[in-house]
Amino acid sequence: MIGIYAFAIFWIALAVGILLFSLLKDRSPRTGPTRPATRKRMLIGFGVVYVAIGLVVPAFSIADSQNADVVRGEGIKLTANEKKGQALFGQLCGSCHQLASANANGRVGPSLDMQLMPQPAADAAAAAKNYKGRSDYVYTVIINGLQRGNGNMPALVTQGQQAKDIAAFVAATAGYANP
Ligand code: HEC
């Protein structure tokens, strides 16, 4: 939310700045001895403010999204199989993938927090269907591997029950920081 406010404030400040600048420009006589200097000072002032906001807004957005992840992650209870999946993920997948719930920070493949974050669901049935979709997808990728041109994920890093446990764990926690 802070990010959205900061974003709005930035554009409002920009609009006001442009308005003030154009007013100033219209009124000041081009040959006046003091006006051009004032205008230059104001221009520099606006420039400094815009650069400062440009640095502050992304910082707020990043901090905001990290907070959101932590809050969303509270209270997830892992099943016994998902717990096994968590440990297996650390051993078999974490060197290539980022997944906060497994403390994994691999950079070879895509971040699974980013790629598999749950989409908003209208009701519990839709949420369950989304969960099943994510879980099936992860299982399929583990079995078949993936070569879409973003690097190669080898097929059959594991299989059978281990692959199912990992898929269940990833589907339950991707996008959440602290299960
Ligand atoms: C050797 C590195 C490596 C290992 C180990 C690995 N992956 Fe991957 N994974 C990749 C790469 C690279 C991609 C991207 C492939 C592409 O998009 O072409 C990928 C893609 C994926 C995707 C698809 C993400 C998307 O954007 O749709 C999933 C899901 C996935 N991996 C899960 C896993 C799981 C679960 C494990 C552990 C069993 C695992 N990976 C182990 C390298 C790896």
Side-chain angles (χ1 to χ4, degrees):
M1 280 310 280
I2 298 169
I4 295 168
Y5 289 134
F7 187 74
I9 289 167
F10 170 72
W11 287 109
I12 291 166
L14 186 66
V16 171
I18 290 170
L19 186 73
L20 283 179
F21 177 62
S22 57
L23 288 178
L24 214 68
K25 200 178 173 191
D26 285 348
R27 291 211 190 130
S28 62
R30 288 192 191 290
T31 52
T34 53
R35 283 305 195 124
T38 312
R39 205 195 305 162
K40 197 174 166 197
R41 268 208 300 278
M42 290 201 70
L43 260 180
I44 292 171
F46 280 132
V48 169
V49 168
Y50 292 157
V51 170
I53 292 176
L55 292 175
V56 166
V57 169
F60 265 120
S61 309
I62 291 165
D64 199 28
S65 61
Q66 281 169 352
N67 288 343
D69 282 345
V70 172
V71 173
R72 277 208 317 268
E74 281 171 6
I76 295 183
K77 294 259 182 294
L78 297 181
T79 65
N81 280 5
E82 287 165 0
K83 280 220 174 78
K84 284 184 201 158
Q86 186 178 37
L88 289 166
F89 190 97
Q91 294 161 22
L92 300 173
C93 322
S95 55
C96 288
H97 289 287
Q98 193 266 332
L99 188 69
S101 57
N103 278 329
N105 285 305
R107 290 278 178 268
V108 178
S111 158
L112 299 188
D113 281 328
M114 301 300 286
Q115 295 301 106
L116 298 174
M117 187 183 293
Q119 299 302 306
D123 53 29
K129 190 165 169 246
N130 288 353
Y131 169 86
K132 177 98 172 47
R134 286 197 305 280
S135 173
D136 287 350
Y137 176 62
V138 175
Y139 179 80
T140 306
V141 171
I142 295 174
I143 300 304
N144 296 331
L146 195 63
Q147 291 84 34
R148 287 181 309 198
N150 299 326
N152 287 341
M153 169 150 162
L156 295 173
V157 171
T158 181
Q159 56 183 313
Q161 191 58 44
Q162 289 200 339
K164 285 183 191 156
D165 289 351
I166 295 172
F169 167 68
V170 173
T173 67
Y176 299 101
N178 295 321

